[in-house]
């Protein structure tokens, strides 16, 4: 089996999400984030903002080889993989992306056909790494068994609401990085356990959530345009949670499982 070639150190703890960032706000937000120290930017064909994300990256003046640029392939474009990738590269204004993700699974045969084109794109040097998003462990297993190529990353909704203690060990055994998305929009920011933890540390619930991801070894993609939010989300290493606090946040999922969309 072949797989992961992510650079040493892999993904940073917090990447910049850009869903629903458009126009001048996106250019400013990306540039500001890179000025503050973000080094990984997450977009997608489906976000329809690759051009402004690319403009924000160029405005930052940061060298291309110091950045990780992630984009995603919409599964409804199956059969047009190379054209879609060429368009992403053109819009972003780059010669390669660091990580190209299948935005979501198809049926087993469909995912395999797309994955084969992903492997070819990597061999052609158009993408450094290839991965998937929103795949369940069984779908990952199936793709790996059929193709012999392990995704570098599976980007999934991850947070106390979705916490599945079996996911990270399953992926780690295959050498796949679990990257969380939507750390705030998919979680209950008013949950009393989160609020009490934040108060104890003099931090925001958002910062506690990002720290909890770090404690689970899960890098995350968080979206922000407000300069205060962008800066605050980079302070995740400035404080720590106790094992008991991490465990209490883990248990939030037990009360939430019934309404988790499968
Ligand atoms: N693979 C997938 O299928 C998938 C699906 C969804 C999302 N994603 C990726 O994950 C990223 C993040 O998910 P998301 O866009 O759903 O949103 P999110 O990161 O969960 O939440 C973003 C919201 O939180 C606010 N915020 C950020 N930091 C804050 C802070 N420190 N204090 C208070 N508020 C804060 C932002 O406000 P401001 O913007 O006003 O600063 C924005 O309203 C996306 O942008 C996208 O890149 C991937």
């Amino acid at each position: 089996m072949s797989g992961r070639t992510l650079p040493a150190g892999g993904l940073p703890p917090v990447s910049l999400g850009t869903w629903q960032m458009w126009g001048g706000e996106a250019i400013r937000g990306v540039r500001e984030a890179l000025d503050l120290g973000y080094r990984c930017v997450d977009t997608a064909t489906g976000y329809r903002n690759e051009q402004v994300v690319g403009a924000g990256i160029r405005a930052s003046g940061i060298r291309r080889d110091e950045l990780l640029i992630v984009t995603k392939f919409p599964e409804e474009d199956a059969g047009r993989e190379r054209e879609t990738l060429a368009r992403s590269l053109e819009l972003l204004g780059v010669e390669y992306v660091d990580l190209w993700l299948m935005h979501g699974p198809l049926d087993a045969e469909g995912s395999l056909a797309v994955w084969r084109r992903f492997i070819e794109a990597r061999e052609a040097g158009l993408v450094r790494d290839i991965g998937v998003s929103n795949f369940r462990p069984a779908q990952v297993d199936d793709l790996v068994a059929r193709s012999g190529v392990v995704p570098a990353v599976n980007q999934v909704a991850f947070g106390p609401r979705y916490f599945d203690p079996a996911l990270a060990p399953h992926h780690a055994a295959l050498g796949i990085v679990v990257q969380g998305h939507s750390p705030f929009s998919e979680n209950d920011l008013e949950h009393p356990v989160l609020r009490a933890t934040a108060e104890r540390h003099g931090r925001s619930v958002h910062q506690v959530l990002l720290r909890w991801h770090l404690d689970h070894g899960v890098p995350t993609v968080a979206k922000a345009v407000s300069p205060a939010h962008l800066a605050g989300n980079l302070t995740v290493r400035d404080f720590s949670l106790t094992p008991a606090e991490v465990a209490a946040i883990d248990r939030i999922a037990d009360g939430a499982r019934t309404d988790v969309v499968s």
Side-chain angles (χ1 to χ4, degrees):
M1 277 187 318
S2 64
R4 161 161 205 225
T5 56
L6 272 177
L11 296 166
V14 183
S15 297
L16 178 70
T18 65
W19 182 40
Q20 296 179 315
M21 275 169 65
W22 292 291
E25 183 181 70
I27 298 174
R28 270 195 310 282
V30 170
R31 197 210 56 225
E32 173 105 26
L34 296 176
D35 286 352
L36 284 167
Y38 287 81
R39 285 297 175 267
C40 179
V41 180
D42 180 271
T43 181
T45 293
Y47 299 172
R48 303 188 184 284
N49 65 2
E50 289 172 307
Q51 192 163 23
V52 280
V53 167
I57 289 171
R58 278 190 299 285
S60 77
I62 310 269
R63 276 182 20 201
R64 174 68 186 92
D65 62 0
E66 291 179 10
L67 294 174
L68 295 175
I69 302 177
V70 182
T71 195
K72 311 186 198 78
F73 172 80
E75 57 276 19
E76 58 271 22
D77 276 8
R80 298 192 299 276
E81 292 80 4
R82 199 52 85 86
E83 295 92 312
T84 300
L85 178 58
R87 184 85 180 127
S88 287
L89 296 177
E90 183 190 336
L91 289 170
L92 284 161
V94 294
E95 291 181 354
Y96 66 90
V97 290
D98 297 275
L99 182 60
W100 195 34
L101 302 177
M102 260 184 87
H103 209 144
L106 292 160
D107 62 27
E109 281 301 323
S111 289
L112 178 64
V114 171
W115 191 236
R116 290 206 167 113
R117 303 287 90 77
F118 267 51
I119 296 163
E120 288 168 9
R122 188 179 62 179
E123 283 164 0
L126 300 173
V127 304
R128 290 278 155 89
D129 268 303
I130 51 177
V132 297
S133 177
N134 303 313
F135 273 52
R136 294 188 201 143
Q139 291 169 316
V140 169
D141 287 341
D142 191 71
L143 193 68
V144 172
R146 286 167 183 257
S147 69
V149 176
V150 181
V153 171
N154 186 14
Q155 187 185 103
V156 296
F158 191 89
R161 183 165 182 256
Y162 291 95
F163 181 60
D164 171 3
L167 179 71
H170 172 276
H171 279 36
L174 288 167
I176 301 170
V177 175
V178 177
Q179 185 183 39
H181 67 65
S182 312
F184 313 134
S185 62
E186 292 283 350
N187 285 290
D188 176 7
L189 303 176
E190 299 299 322
H191 196 284
V193 169
L194 292 174
R195 289 179 66 99
T197 311
E199 258 172 49
R200 245 184 338 268
H201 289 274
R203 301 277 166 174
S204 68
V205 164
H206 298 73
Q207 290 167 320
V208 166
L209 278 167
L210 295 177
R211 178 70 223 188
W212 176 86
H213 280 73
L214 186 63
D215 285 322
H216 282 291
V218 172
T220 188
V221 189
K223 179 258 175 185
V225 289
S226 143
H229 295 166
L230 283 168
N233 294 346
L234 285 182
T235 62
V236 55
R237 288 193 195 279
D238 296 359
F239 71 108
S240 51
L241 300 174
T242 65
E245 287 174 325
V246 171
I249 297 172
D250 292 353
R251 285 194 297 274
I252 290 175
D254 296 339
R257 282 254 161 74
T258 49
D259 63 341
V260 168
V261 180
S262 61

